[in-house]
Every structure is written in structure tokens, then in C-alpha cells.
Amino acid sequence: MNKAYQNMREFWLDAKNFETRKGVLEIGPDKIVAAGVEMALADGEITKHLLIVTNSLGDSSLYFENNSKSGLGGMIGGHDNPPLQDAAAHMLAYASKLTAHMEKIPATQAVPVPSGPGQVILLAVSKEFLFYKEFAEKDLRNPEHVCYPWFAYSQQVVGLFKTQSAQDTPPAQA
């Protein structure tokens, strides 16, 4: 994992980064303030990572390792995009309901990254604890899986970011 991606991942996994912001809500019995989905993807012989995250303020981000000079690509959004806010809020709501199905560690510890391509880590952040669980992506795509809604909403967030990016990009000149 490259350093730029790691820095953004660590930012989102630390609830202290949201404390000074007005309007942070603690959701559910475990007081979740942020939730995400991290995926491992093969890029030739190299494994790269993609992180989709949201917090209770309505902020969402998508980060991915790439071959740019910084090694990091991504998008941020939420405030001016009601469909994105809605999908992210649903993702966060499901995360707050599903923490009982996850590993629970102190917030001072590190959440592992997905073990390899095709693997996904679902993660939730509270002030005191981090919750995570690794699954095979193919399992999370099954509508019968208990965590399917969480994963499905994360994929909606990705699609909405792609739509937002396409609208922000001026058309090519003929």
C-alpha cells in the first residue's frame, strides 16, 4: 500500500478527525461516526486498494491507489449531491446495524487491509472502537448475505461518484 493512500485511510479510520466538526452524529448502539468498504484489486502482479467511505456529516470519499506520481486518485463529495448523500447515509445506517457481525478492536489499533484481490473489508468507526470484517466480494454481491445492503449502497456511492465526475468533465472537442 502506498503512503498517500495509507494516509487517507488512516484519516478516515480515526474518529478524532471528525470531533471538531459541527453536526457529527453517533449512529446506533455502537455510536458509529464513519463507515466504509475497502477492496483489493489486482493490477497485473500488484495488489492495489480502493476505499469508499462516508461519515455522519454527509461527507463521502473514494480513494484508490493508481500509477500517478502521488500514487493516489480519488473523489470527494456529498454536500451538493442528494442522491450521493442518500446512498452514503444508507451505507452508514447499515454499518451501524451490522457491527454485531464484525470484529471489534480498540480505536487505537489498526484495521487490516483486504488479504488479496477479490476480498473486501467492511469497516465502521466510533470514538472508542473500530469494527471490521473481511468477506469475499462474490459473497457480498449475494442479496441473501446479511451485509449485502451495506456493500450494495457502497457500490451506488461509487456509481454516483462516477456520474458526478463525468458531469464535471467538459466534453472532448471534436
Side-chain angles (χ1 to χ4, degrees):
M1 175 182 317
N2 73 49
K3 188 65 177 166
Y5 177 88
Q6 185 176 357
N7 288 342
M8 295 314 300
R9 182 181 194 269
E10 288 172 4
F11 173 85
W12 278 91
L13 291 175
D14 187 350
K16 291 177 189 159
N17 291 319
F18 310 119
E19 286 180 346
T20 60
R21 307 254 327 263
K22 192 174 187 177
V24 175
L25 301 174
E26 295 177 333
I27 301 169
D30 291 306
K31 301 179 180 180
I32 301 303
V33 298
V37 172
E38 185 172 30
M39 305 171 77
L41 309 160
D43 183 11
E45 299 292 316
I46 300 169
T47 298
K48 293 190 177 173
H49 299 91
L50 175 131
L51 179 65
I52 307 138
V53 286
T54 191
N55 64 32
S56 64
L57 294 166
D59 302 321
S60 296
S61 292
L62 168 68
Y63 298 106
F64 51 89
E65 292 182 288
N66 64 17
N67 296 326
S68 70
K69 188 175 180 179
S70 71
L72 180 69
M75 299 173 209
I76 58 173
H79 290 289
D80 296 333
N81 188 329
L84 178 57
Q85 279 185 317
D86 186 56
H90 279 89
M91 188 175 104
L92 189 61
Y94 274 101
S96 73
K97 294 175 187 175
L98 295 170
T99 53
H101 298 276
M102 306 174 78
E103 303 291 325
K104 177 180 176 179
I105 60 174
T108 56
Q109 292 186 4
V111 171
V113 296
S115 60
Q119 294 298 112
V120 175
I121 297 255
L122 301 181
L123 51 92
V125 179
S126 76
K127 290 179 183 176
E128 296 182 40
F129 298 102
L130 297 172
F131 301 85
Y132 72 94
K133 181 87 179 203
E134 182 172 44
F135 299 96
E137 180 180 348
K138 64 181 174 62
D139 293 340
L140 288 172
R141 291 190 181 280
N142 176 354
E144 302 296 317
H145 194 285
V146 68
C147 294
Y148 170 80
W150 182 348
F151 183 74
Y153 279 114
S154 78
Q155 299 311 288
Q156 283 187 16
V157 169
V158 171
L160 290 162
F161 269 126
K162 289 172 68 175
T163 300
Q164 176 182 296
S165 177
Q167 292 171 348
D168 292 345
T169 305
Q173 298 295 319

